[in-house]
Amino acid sequence: MNNLLKSAARKHALSNGIATASWTDQQFAEYVEQHGITERDNLKKGNHSTNGHTGIKEAMEEAGTTLGRGKDGTIKPVAKPTGKVDAAIAELIAATSQQSDLDEERVIELIKAHSTAPTTTRVEIKQQDKQEITRELCHKDYALVLAHIAAGVNVAAVGPAGSGKSTLFKNAAEDLGLDYYTTGAVQQESKIMGYMDANGKYIRTPFRDAYEKGGLIVLEEADGSSARALLAANNATANDVTDFPDGMVNRHEDFVCVMAMNTFGTGASRQYVGRTQLDGATLDRFAFIEIGYDEALERQIALSFNDAAGFWVEEVQAFRKRIEGAGIRHVVSPRASIMGAKLLKQGLPHEVIIKTTLHKGLTADQIKQVSR
């Protein structure tokens, strides 16, 4: 494909709010064919660059939009950006009105400051023989969770499906050098405490191993557990010795118990109808941390599977906001971005991916309600 045709396709896409910085030649070719773009489109009024700075142009493409200069000489967005790109443009416009000598490097710096989130978190843990912890590609709430666990405080992470709660805990165990244990929703006390079989042999559980040997035990879907069953863990999570079916066991100094939940343990919600109300004494043993979606991390993970899926991540995040604005009970988690990135790489049609990852379970009326 020649550069004029590619340029025309790029400008057409940007005018519709679609980033093309990571597109392959094949994707450009498909876009050209789908929209009937010709080389002449590259010369249409309003589509040509007015600033002449290729660095600025590339940075704006990376951010998912472009800039043009209005009749009054001020810099304005050509496309309709949202979120972090809006912030970049707002700051850029403010800067141009105050600085007559604003140079290209500063423009690019302002754009990238908002369009690209930091990928590294550094946390200093104040414990003997513990060094500063550095982790790439971690959730924005990771430092807070890590600090609690490092202090030996039991944590209940509360957030929507797919917000990364389990990954937060697994990363924390790795960074703190703790053995990692996990168990699903608990319906019977024996899943926590273990039991004696017919031959008089004690059957261990992950909870028992963490309690006795040290480590981080994650109670997944804790608010889907039986409140009575979780009461069995109350003594263990608060005291230094606990009575297990085979006798008294001392608590290891490195034992920490955490819970991953979609609610605050107060019962079912409109979205999470299968959740139970947990006992107040159980909840009192945990510090609660809300974990929301980290959209910058969502983008980075999706692009790690398909570096040409930036436009898809933007589409998922915009769809999520429309669902929330319409008050529709429907989960649009970062998993949709990740699944879509993988499916796009396999060559599945865009409309099929929308149906299988975004529209799943929605009625025709709901889909129409949240359509652009």
Side-chain angles (χ1 to χ4, degrees):
M1 174 179 294
N2 65 55
N3 290 334
L4 284 176
L5 194 56
K6 184 180 292 187
S7 178
R10 180 181 292 110
K11 289 171 183 176
H12 186 282
L14 290 175
S15 69
N16 289 286
I18 301 174
T20 63
S22 58
W23 277 17
T24 64
D25 286 344
Q26 179 63 30
Q27 287 174 296
F28 275 111
E30 292 174 355
Y31 192 85
V32 165
E33 182 177 355
Q34 181 180 358
H35 296 279
I37 296 171
T38 67
E39 292 180 10
R40 290 189 176 184
D41 293 323
N42 190 51
L43 303 176
K44 287 184 179 179
K45 184 178 180 180
N47 276 350
H48 59 280
S49 172
T50 57
N51 53 42
H53 294 301
T54 57
I56 295 176
K57 179 180 177 182
E58 290 171 359
M60 291 310 298
E61 287 180 6
E62 182 180 344
T65 187
T66 186
L67 291 178
R69 191 172 296 278
K71 293 180 180 179
D72 58 357
T74 60
I75 295 178
K76 296 179 179 180
V78 172
K80 264 186 149 180
T82 59
K84 293 179 180 178
V85 178
D86 274 333
I89 293 172
E91 186 175 342
L92 179 58
I93 292 173
T96 56
S97 65
Q98 299 171 10
Q99 303 176 31
S100 59
D101 59 342
L102 188 69
D103 61 14
E104 178 180 344
E105 289 187 2
R106 178 56 179 155
V107 173
I108 296 174
E109 180 184 350
L110 290 174
I111 295 167
K112 291 191 173 182
H114 292 277
S115 63
T116 305
T119 61
T120 303
T121 291
R122 290 181 174 83
V123 184
E124 183 178 351
I125 303 300
K126 298 185 180 300
Q127 288 182 312
Q128 289 185 346
D129 302 324
K130 295 290 184 180
Q131 302 298 320
E132 183 181 82
I133 292 172
T134 300
R135 174 168 286 276
E136 299 282 347
L137 287 177
C138 57
H139 194 282
K140 58 185 174 63
D141 296 319
Y142 179 63
L144 182 61
V145 172
L146 183 66
H148 279 69
I149 295 174
V153 174
N154 301 321
V155 172
V158 181
S163 55
K165 301 179 292 293
S166 300
T167 301
L168 276 169
F169 289 142
K170 190 170 185 178
N171 289 346
E174 180 181 331
D175 286 341
L176 294 171
L178 298 174
D179 288 334
Y180 177 80
Y181 302 90
T182 182
T183 186
V186 176
Q187 303 303 328
Q188 296 179 330
E189 178 181 334
S190 59
K191 194 170 183 178
I192 293 286
M193 305 302 290
Y195 62 95
M196 306 298 294
D197 69 11
N199 297 316
K201 179 183 177 182
Y202 173 67
I203 305 302
R204 302 179 68 90
T205 64
F207 185 92
R208 166 63 179 272
D209 287 339
Y211 187 85
E212 182 178 2
K213 303 175 184 178
L216 182 72
I217 174 68
V218 183
L219 304 181
E220 297 281 3
E221 310 290 349
D223 51 347
S225 298
S226 161
R228 182 175 294 277
L230 284 184
L231 285 175
N234 282 7
N235 190 43
T237 53
N239 301 311
D240 293 332
V241 62
T242 297
D243 182 19
F244 283 85
D246 62 336
M248 302 297 291
V249 178
N250 291 321
R251 171 178 175 159
H252 193 282
E253 63 179 357
D254 289 333
F255 169 77
V256 182
C257 180
V258 298
M259 300 192 296
M261 308 199 296
N262 298 128
T263 69
F264 283 87
T266 54
S269 67
R270 293 177 69 248
Q271 186 84 304
Y272 301 102
V273 298
R275 308 299 152 165
T276 57
Q277 182 175 353
L278 301 183
D279 191 88
T282 299
L283 300 178
D284 186 56
R285 286 158 165 77
F286 294 81
F288 279 69
I289 300 177
E290 289 191 68
I291 307 296
Y293 291 138
D294 186 338
E295 293 193 338
L297 179 62
E298 173 184 2
R299 180 182 180 86
Q300 290 160 357
I301 294 175
L303 293 183
S304 71
F305 290 101
N306 180 358
D307 60 8
F311 77 95
W312 169 252
V313 177
E314 293 170 8
E315 185 169 355
V316 170
Q317 294 176 350
F319 187 78
R320 179 185 301 143
K321 289 179 174 61
R322 295 198 297 274
I323 285 289
E324 293 171 352
I328 298 174
R329 284 181 289 174
H330 185 68
V331 176
V332 184
S333 80
R335 294 188 179 109
S337 290
I338 297 168
M339 289 189 291
K342 294 178 179 179
L343 294 172
L344 283 168
K345 198 166 187 176
Q346 289 296 317
L348 266 68
H350 179 255
E351 60 272 16
V352 171
I353 299 173
I354 289 178
K355 186 178 296 185
T356 62
T357 64
L358 294 182
H359 290 176
K360 52 184 182 180
L362 291 175
T363 65
D365 286 342
Q366 288 173 327
I367 293 173
K368 183 177 180 180
Q369 184 180 354
V370 295
S371 296
R372 294 182 179 180

